[in-house]
Each structure stands twice: as structure tokens, then as C-alpha cells.
């Protein structure tokens, strides 16, 4: 909690700022310097309010974000004591033996083991709750699975159906359309024969017959349960492991396919765990072809969330992570780097094998950290070196079975966990200290403003010259040629074509009118992100980069005109960053809304969506492809009755003018 001392400090400072604003506003004459002072003091008030909210956060959410199959879930389980000792069969030295092995309580493996986001919370009792898919949504997933079965042997990439492993596993379980295996002997030779019941049913009954049986077996209307509690029968850890696995793979007939799983864990399990230090721990769905997703945006924007971007050791920072972090860290106003952590997961002695490490774990880690820092600098990303962390959950375990190596003990394992949790606590502590220092800085700056001198004629002229320079940038169309917007639709459609490669993914998006929740796909949000620019060298961020830099330079040059401005102008630059980020967001949001409007109604009553849906199975003329036809239908719609390219240009110019007007208002100008 924020100390009473600092609560009083903020309250006192806010009162002083309000009094000074009132005093200056009541002056007989409001000149340029007074306008700057008033607006500066108002900005300080707003910032203090934001700082107070952040400092009053009691517990943070800790959110793990990473590409599929990189070990997020394994790391989470070990860090927060969601592990247990279980008897398993292992082949050791060519012989199968029953051994005791440390296993994670959540489903882990080579990737795509968890079907959805998982939220962990400390609780008085252990239970699991799900947020389910609707019956209609599950029907659509079943139909997609049936298409997958029907096209299983189709080798042509244009027509091949792709379905995620976790969704296939879930659908096979709820429809009871499974793959069975049996051993076949031929003399002394033996082989494994696998039979797909779905393929047999399709060959016998066709696609519609397969769909009918799948829906009938699924019994979707009866899958109404959302909560299951530990009944105090048997071992609690074993119950969590087995029940979570059953919920995750949809083996319980009373439960629907989960969109999100909440695991509430009792103190019996959490003894010695650090989960209580956090509001919750979130294991997000793994990143795939499109890492910039709206579900992640909500966590990234939340002030009470520490985002851990998980990356494998050898590829750190992994491409998807660099792309996602780069998109957000280009914002200079939101201080994401205060809450962003790069979490590197070494595996099988990788640090010791690093070139130049000489077999030393610590030296290998340091070398990799320097490489990651160099990558961030090359990408022009602001990032705290202290927020690059490493954790190997299996560092002290044997390679043949997951069991502690004889030369280590539980204290070694716990020491690593404690070091990591302390590092996360230090991220929060650093953020708090930065904000506490900022309160002091605001107070010092306020004192200088209060005691500031009046401007000389030359200094006033310097400000007026700067104002005229800024005014010259008001009409973006005079600085940015219209042709740069003209290929927005084509580039966006190419992005759509290549990002979602599989035809059935596109068809699923069309069938859901631009959305596909199982993969967190939202083409309207995609358009927003694409229009804004995934980095500083794309789309709107690229088009306005020169203008942004020019205005920054004009503002900074004023600091040499007057001593008081050395205090006022840097804060105006910060305010400009906020206004610029708002400008980017407003244009992107306008594109998102316009695309939503243009592609309405979102139903099969729409000729547009009907045309897209009917492309599935449609006979193609020579040279035609599914993706090509789909993109052509999109292009016609996006350029019809209000070309989206021209809309992009008009909104960019409109919101840019508003941005410049807000900057000018800081000087009391219009």
C-alpha cells in the first residue's frame, strides 16, 4: 500500500496546483507564458491522479505471453508449486519401469496442450470454473472438424483443411469420433495400425452424415456445468491434475468446450508457493501466426498487470515476441517498459553451451542478456535491462526422468523460484520508485514554474515563431502525399491472405462474419493494428514519422529561448507523445469501426458474407483460387461506396489537425 506520507504529499501537491491554476486564470491578462503554465499545471494534476491509482495497486496480475510450445505452462507450474510426485512408466536402458516422477498439475507437453487461457488464483478451497463456448459456437467447431476429416487426404495446400491440435482433441472427445490403435503381427514382425473412425464414417455416410452423427454424439445442449469442486476424496494434487486434464480435453460430458479456465487453489496445495503475492497468474493462449491480438491488448493496457513475454533461450527474443513487444513499445507515452518483462526459458544446459561461456551458467546467461539488449537497441525499443529474466524449471532435474539430480536438493530448486519471484517484485518496486521520484520531480517543477520570470520580447518572439512553425504542420495533406494511402486495402488484404494461410481458417472467419474466437481472430481489430502500423516503419506511423519528429524538434528548440521553458517544454513534449499516441489510436479505431460498418450486417442475410461463404466448394475457373476469389470479393466491398483508402486518408488528416490544435492550445493558440 502507498504510505500515508506519500498520500499526504500527493493530496497537498494537488491542492497547491489547483490554487495556482485558479490564481493564474484569474489574472487580468492571460499571455502565452501563462497559457503554457496553466496547461502544464493541469497536466501535472492529471498525472498525479494516475500515479496515485497505480501506487494504490495492492496486488498485480502476472501474465505469461509466449509462442506455442515454448514452456510457459511448465514454468508456471514449477514456479507456483503446481507440481506433484506421480508414478509413471518410463523406458530406461531399453526396459519399461514404473518410476516416481515430478509432474506438472496442468497439462503440459510439446505444445498446444492447453485449449484456452488459464487463470490461477489462490483460494480457500480448490475448484475449477470455466467460461464455455455457446452451443452455436461448438456446432461451428464440429463442422470445421468434419471438413478437416473430409479433406484429410487432400494434399493441395489451397484446399487442405487445417485444424489446431487442441481443438481436434476436444472435438474427438465430445463427438466420440476417435482414432484407435492396435498392434498387427506379421510373423515375427509387428506394426501399429491406426484407424480414424471419422474417416470411416465419412467414407460410408459422406460429409452431411458425418456432421449428423458428430452433433448427435456431442449432445451439446446437455453440457451446462461450469464449476467442479474438489470433494476431499483422495489426493488433492491428483484431483487437480486429473480434473484439469479432463476439463481441458473436454472428457466430462457435462462440460462444454472452455473459452477460459479458472483454477482456484487452496492453501493445502499452495504451501510454500508465491501465488498469494499476486492477484492472479494467467497462462495465455500461445501465440501463432498473428501475435498482436485483442485479448492480449487488454492485459498489456492494464496498469495492474506485469506482462512476462516468454521466449526460448537460443532464439531470444523470439520473432513473435519481438513483433508484439515492438508494436506496443513504439508508444512513448504509455510506459509499457515499466511493466514488460522478457522471460527467457533455458533448456538442457543451453547457457553453459553458449559460445564464449566456457561451460559457466552465469556467464552464458550474461552473454545472452547482452545479446537481447543489443536486439532491443537495434529495434529502437526502450527496455529495462533489469527486466530481462531467466528461469529453467528443470535445471536441477535428471535428463532421463523428471527427478531431482542426486547432487541437488529442494533448497536449490526453491532458491531459484525465490530469486525469480523477487525479480518480479523488483519490477513492481522499480516502477513504484520511478513514480515516487516523479512526484518529487512534479513538485520541483511546480516550484520553478511558480517562481518563473516574465518573458522578454525576444523570448516571446521565439515562442510565436515556434507556434507558426507548428501551425504549418496542421494540414497533413500538404506534407504527406495522398498516394501513400492508395494501397492500404491491397496491403491489408495481402496481410489477411498470408496471415491466415489455411482456406478453412478463412472460411471459419467468413462463417463467423469476421471473427473466429477459438483462435482469437478479429479482422476488424487486425485492420486497426495494420492501419496504425505494426512498427514505426509501417502505415500511419511511417507516414507521420517525419512530422512527429519535426514537432518534437520545434518544441525542444524552445528550451534554449527561456530558462522557465526548460521546465515547461519537456513536459509539453511528454504531452505531445500522449496526443500522438491518441492520434494513432483514433485513426486505427476509426478504420476498425468503418470496416465493421462496411461489412454489416454480420449475418447470412448479407450478400457480401453469403458470397464469401459460398466460395467453399465452388467450382473454380482456370487460374482461380479460393484465396484469390475471397480477396477480390473483399476488395470490391472495401472500395465500394466510400473507398476505404480515401477514408483512411481523410481520418488521418482530420485527427492530425485535431492533434495540432491541441498542441497549439497549450500555447493559448487556435
Amino acid at each position: 500500500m502507498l504510505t500515508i506520507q506519500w498520500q499526504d504529499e500527493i493530496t497537498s501537491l494537488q491542492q497547491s496546483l489547483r490554487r495556482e491554476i485558479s490564481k493564474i486564470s484569474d489574472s487580468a491578462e492571460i499571455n502565452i507564458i501563462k497559457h503554457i503554465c496553466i496547461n502544464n499545471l493541469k497536466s501535472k494534476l492529471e498525472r498525479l491522479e494516475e500515479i496515485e491509482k497505480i501506487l494504490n495497486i495492492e496486488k498485480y496480475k502476472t501474465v505469461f505471453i509466449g509462442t506455442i510450445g515454448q514452456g510457459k505452462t511448465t514454468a508456471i507450474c514449477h514456479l507456483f508449486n503446481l507440481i506433484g510426485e506421480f508414478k509413471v512408466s518410463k523406458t530406461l536402458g531399453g526396459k519399461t519401469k514404473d518410476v516416481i516422477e515430478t509432474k506438472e498439475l496442468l497439462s503440459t507437453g510439446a505444445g498446444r496442450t492447453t485449449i484456452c487461457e488459464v487463470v490461477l488464483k489462490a483460494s480457500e478451497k480448490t475448484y475449477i470454473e470455466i467460461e464455455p463456448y455457446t452451443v452455436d459456437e461448438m456446432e461451428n467447431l464440429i463442422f470445421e472438424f468434419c471438413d478437416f476429416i473430409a479433406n484429410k487426404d487432400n494434399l493441395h495446400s489451397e484446399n487442405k483443411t487445417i485444424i489446431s491440435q487442441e481443438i481436434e482433441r476436444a472435438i474427438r472427445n465430445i463427438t466420440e469420433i476417435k482414432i484407435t490403435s492396435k498392434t498387427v503381427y506379421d510373423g515375427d514382425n509387428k506394426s501399429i495400425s491406426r484407424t480414424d473412425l471419422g474417416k470411416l464414417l465419412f467414407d460410408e455416410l459422406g460429409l452431411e452424415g458425418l456432421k449428423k452423427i458428430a452433433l448427435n454424439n456431442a449432445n451439446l445442449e446437455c453440457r451446462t456445468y461450469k464449476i467442479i469442486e474438489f470433494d476431499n476424496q483422495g489426493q488433492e494434487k491428483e484431483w487437480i491434475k486429473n480434473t484439469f486434464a479432463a476439463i481441458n480435453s473436454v472428457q466430462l460430458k457435462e462440460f462444454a468446450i472452455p473459452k477460459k479456465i479458472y483454477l482456484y487453489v487452496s492453501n493445502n496445495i499452495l504451501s510454500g508457493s508465491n501465488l498469494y503475492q499476486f492477484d492472479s497468474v494467467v497462462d495465455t493462449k500461445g501465440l501463432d501466426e498473428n501475435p498482436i491480438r485483442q485479448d492480449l491488448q487488454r492485459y498489456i493496457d492494464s496498469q495492474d498487470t506485469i506482462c512476462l513475454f516468454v521466449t526460448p533461450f537460443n532464439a531470444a527474443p523470439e520473432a513473435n515476441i519481438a513483433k508484439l513487444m515492438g508494436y506496443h513499445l513504439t508508444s512513448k507515452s504509455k510506459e509499457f517498459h515499466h511493466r514488460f518483462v522478457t522471460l527467457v526459458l533455458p533448456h538442457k544446459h543451453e547457457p553453459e553451451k553458449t559460445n564464449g561461456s566456457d561451460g559457466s551458467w552465469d556467464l552464458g546467461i550474461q552473454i545472452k542478456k547482452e545479446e537481447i539488449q543489443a536486439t532491443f537497441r537495434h529495434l529502437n525499443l526502450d527496455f529495462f535491462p533489469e527486466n530481462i529474466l531467466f528461469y529453467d524449471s528443470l535445471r536441477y532435474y535428471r535428463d532421463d526422468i523428471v527427478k531431482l539430480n542426486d547432487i541437488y536438493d529442494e533448497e536449490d530448486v526453491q532458491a531459484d523460484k525465490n530469486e525469480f519471484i523477487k525479480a518480479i517484485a523488483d519490477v513492481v518496486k522499480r516502477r513504484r520508485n520511478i513514480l515516487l521520484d516523479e512526484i518529487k520531480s512534479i513538485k520541483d517543477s511546480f516550484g520553478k514554474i511558480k517562481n518563473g520570470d516574465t518573458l522578454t520580447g525576444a523570448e516571446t518572439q521565439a515562442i510565436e515563431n515556434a507556434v507558426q512553425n507548428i501551425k504549418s504542420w496542421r494540414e497533413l495533406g500538404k506534407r504527406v502525399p495522398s498516394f501513400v494511402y492508395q494501397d492500404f486495402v491491397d496491403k491489408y488484404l495481402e496481410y489477411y491472405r498470408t496471415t491466415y494461410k489455411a482456406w478453412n481458417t478463412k472460411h471459419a472467419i467468413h462463417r463467423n462474419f469476421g471473427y473466429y474466437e477459438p483462435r482469437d481472430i478479429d479482422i476488424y481489430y487486425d485492420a486497426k493494428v495494420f492501419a496504425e502500423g505494426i512498427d514505426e516503419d509501417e502505415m500511419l506511423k511511417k507516414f507521420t514519422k517525419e512530422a512527429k519528429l519535426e514537432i518534437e524538434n520545434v518544441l525542444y528548440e524552445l528550451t534554449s529561448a527561456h530558462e522557465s521553458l526548460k521546465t515547461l517544454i519537456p513536459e509539453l513534449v511528454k504531452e505531445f507523445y500522449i496526443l500522438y499516441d491518441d492520434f494513432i489510436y483514433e485513426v486505427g479505431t476509426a478504420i476498425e469501426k468503418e470496416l465493421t460498418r462496411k461489412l454489416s450486417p454480420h449475418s447470412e442475410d448479407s450478400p457480401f458474407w453469403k458470397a464469401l461463404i459460398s466460395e467453399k466448394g465452388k467450382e473454380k475457373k482456370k487460374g482461380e483460387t479460393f484465396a484469390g476469389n475471397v480477396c477480390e470479393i473483399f476488395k470490391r466491398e472495401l472500395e465500394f461506396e466510400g473507398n476505404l483508402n480515401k477514408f483512411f486518408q481523410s481520418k488521418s488528416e482530420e485527427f492530425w489537425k485535431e492533434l495540432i490544435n491541441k498542441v497549439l492550445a497549450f500555447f493559448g493558440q487556435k
Side-chain angles (χ1 to χ4, degrees), residues 22-68:
S22 179
K23 177 183 172 183
I24 298 173
S25 300
D26 290 342
S27 299
E29 181 187 353
I30 305 293
N31 55 26
I32 287 180
I33 192 66
K34 287 181 178 178
H35 269 295
I36 297 173
C37 287
I38 289 170
N39 286 301
N40 185 284
L41 297 175
K42 286 180 178 178
S43 295
K44 285 176 165 56
L45 265 177
E46 291 175 2
R47 180 58 178 161
L48 282 172
E49 183 179 343
E50 185 178 7
I51 289 172
E52 187 172 21
K53 287 179 182 177
I54 296 170
L55 290 173
N56 272 311
I57 296 170
E58 291 189 52
K59 289 185 178 181
Y60 277 77
K61 298 182 183 74
T62 304
V63 178
F64 289 70
I65 300 168
T67 299
I68 293 164

Side-chain angles (χ1 to χ4, degrees), residues 414-572:
Q414 192 61 47
D416 261 15
K417 295 180 188 179
N418 293 344
E419 182 180 347
F420 180 85
I421 297 300
K422 181 183 181 300
I424 298 299
D426 286 345
V427 171
V428 175
K429 186 177 180 180
R430 271 192 299 277
R431 188 186 191 209
R432 288 173 58 86
N433 288 339
I434 289 168
L435 294 173
L436 292 172
D437 287 343
E438 190 176 348
I439 296 170
K440 184 178 183 300
S441 177
I442 289 172
K443 184 177 181 180
D444 293 344
S445 173
F446 171 49
K448 291 177 182 178
I449 292 170
K450 197 173 178 182
N451 300 322
D453 301 323
T454 58
L455 297 176
T456 66
E459 292 161 349
T460 301
Q461 186 61 51
I463 292 176
E464 289 175 351
N465 291 342
V467 166
Q468 291 306 312
N469 199 337
I470 293 169
K471 282 182 178 179
S472 73
W473 280 95
R474 184 149 44 189
E475 301 297 331
L476 188 62
K478 294 179 180 179
R479 304 283 187 155
V480 178
S482 59
F483 69 79
V484 302
Y485 304 94
Q486 289 173 3
D487 57 358
F488 167 68
V489 168
D490 288 337
K491 286 186 175 180
Y492 168 61
L493 292 177
E494 183 59 24
Y495 175 83
Y496 176 69
R497 178 204 288 262
T498 56
T499 300
Y500 309 117
K501 292 184 175 67
W503 77 267
N504 66 296
T505 301
K506 293 185 181 74
H507 181 63
I509 294 168
H510 305 157
R511 211 170 50 216
N512 291 281
F513 317 116
Y515 307 96
Y516 186 43
E517 194 160 6
R519 300 262 297 280
D520 296 292
I521 296 171
D522 178 343
I523 68 167
Y524 309 101
Y525 178 77
D526 286 352
K528 171 188 178 295
V529 170
F530 190 78
E532 292 173 349
I534 293 169
D535 57 43
E536 287 187 318
D537 296 315
E538 296 290 342
M539 283 295 148
L540 190 59
K541 291 175 185 174
K542 178 182 179 181
F543 303 160
T544 58
K545 192 174 183 180
E546 182 184 346
K548 177 190 176 189
L549 184 60
E550 175 70 20
I551 294 168
E552 282 182 48
N553 290 337
V554 169
L555 295 173
Y556 274 124
E557 284 171 7
L558 280 176
T559 58
S560 61
H562 188 266
E563 188 65 29
S564 294
L565 296 180
K566 291 181 180 178
T567 299
L568 294 164
I569 297 303
E571 292 199 21
L572 175 53

Side-chain angles (χ1 to χ4, degrees), residues 401-416:
I401 60 173
V402 185
K403 184 177 180 179
L404 271 182
N405 198 307
D406 291 341
I407 62 174
Y408 301 114
D409 56 33
E410 290 293 343
E411 289 185 3
D412 296 308
V413 176
Q414 192 61 47
D416 261 15

